[in-house]
Amino acid sequence: MTTKLSLGVLVSGNGSNLQAIIDNCSSGDLAANVSVVISDNPKAYALTLAKKAGIPAHVFLRKEYLTKTEFEEAIISALKKYDIQLVCLAGFMRILSPVFLNAFPKKIINIHPALLPAFPGLHAQKQALEAGADKSGCTVHFVDEGTDTGPIIIQKEVPILGNDTEESLSNRILAEEHVLYSRAIKLLAEGKLEIDGRSVVVRDFRRGK
Ligand code: GRF
């Protein structure tokens, strides 16, 4: 029997990426298991999705901790209790400090709705439209101290259409995110990723568009 990679998913909002990961784990496409969901937002719909899937979910409110370090340490100890092997940020709206990063070295990944390094930060789809770009997409990357600056794992391009609105573009990118995030987790689960300085080497894998 192969052991499954134990995932901790951090969310703040809708949780559509969380749901896609859950679905790919249950279908057997992904040799992983979402062991815990953690949110900094008690109203996140992702918490409802976790509950429906029977996955333990915990809320940590930043305002209940004096410092960011204490807040992060509380989350770290929750993740450690579940023996998490990979932390997946899925719409988690906070920048992690070195305290958090050092607790899970090279084991924290994020998905961003643009082709990084273009359009990091908030409202990436709006940024792409306003820049007049003819394509954008999504990126899964390792997390470092910056905002969406960590080593890139895989990306998927999405064309921008003449009549696109922020909403229509976001929806098309999101559909690709749901596929891409699980592909990246699968590569990690199969031990096919190596970080080499600022780049990620993917073994036995063609970087397809
Ligand atoms: C996604 O667009 C993701 O790329 C970004 O936040 C959004 C989360 O969406 N980091 P959801 O909560 O997974 O639906």
Side-chain angles (χ1 to χ4, degrees):
M1 206 185 87
T2 50
T3 43
K4 292 187 173 181
L5 193 72
S6 172
L7 311 177
V9 183
L10 270 57
V11 295
S12 301
N14 281 335
S16 69
N17 277 289
L18 166 69
Q19 187 63 56
I21 295 167
I22 294 171
D23 292 345
N24 289 324
C25 289
S26 6
S27 73
D29 283 349
L30 199 51
N33 185 43
V34 180
S35 304
V36 65
V37 171
I38 285 176
S39 177
D40 64 335
N41 171 12
K43 294 188 178 143
Y45 186 64
L47 292 166
T48 306
L49 296 175
K51 199 173 165 196
K52 275 190 194 157
I55 297 168
H58 302 283
V59 176
F60 292 87
L61 298 179
R62 172 64 185 88
K63 64 179 183 196
E64 286 182 354
Y65 299 86
L66 272 182
T67 62
K68 178 169 176 162
T69 301
E70 287 170 47
F71 168 68
E72 288 188 341
E73 279 169 347
I75 297 179
I76 293 164
S77 68
L79 290 166
K80 299 266 183 199
K81 261 187 218 149
Y82 287 91
D83 285 330
I84 295 308
Q85 295 167 294
L86 180 68
V87 178
C88 300
L89 309 186
F92 186 63
M93 300 301 286
R94 287 181 186 275
I95 303 298
L96 301 176
S97 83
V99 170
F100 199 112
L101 300 177
N102 293 334
F104 298 95
K106 299 182 183 179
K107 298 287 177 215
I108 308 173
I109 61 174
N110 180 44
I111 187 151
H112 181 73
L115 291 178
L116 292 171
F119 314 124
L122 294 176
H123 310 299
Q125 304 91 336
K126 189 162 175 253
Q127 291 185 52
L129 287 170
E130 285 176 356
D134 62 3
K135 55 179 180 269
S136 190
C138 44
T139 303
V140 181
H141 63 95
F142 284 103
V143 175
D144 67 7
E145 288 171 45
T147 303
D148 306 317
T149 50
I152 291 170
I153 301 172
I154 42 175
Q155 301 187 292
K156 174 75 185 181
E157 192 175 298
V158 173
I160 296 180
L161 310 177
N163 57 355
D164 258 333
T165 60
E166 189 180 350
E167 192 186 0
S168 65
L169 178 60
S170 301
N171 288 338
R172 284 207 320 288
I173 293 176
L174 209 46
E176 298 295 349
E177 290 183 36
H178 298 160
V179 178
L180 195 75
Y181 213 170
S182 291
R183 276 174 74 192
I185 297 169
K186 192 170 182 175
L187 289 169
L188 273 154
E190 292 171 351
K192 290 185 178 165
L193 297 186
E194 276 163 29
I195 302 184
D196 179 12
R198 292 279 311 144
S199 347
V200 176
V201 181
V202 184
R203 282 195 255 136
D204 306 332
F205 181 76
R206 274 175 197 247
R207 283 171 188 259
K209 288 269 157 137

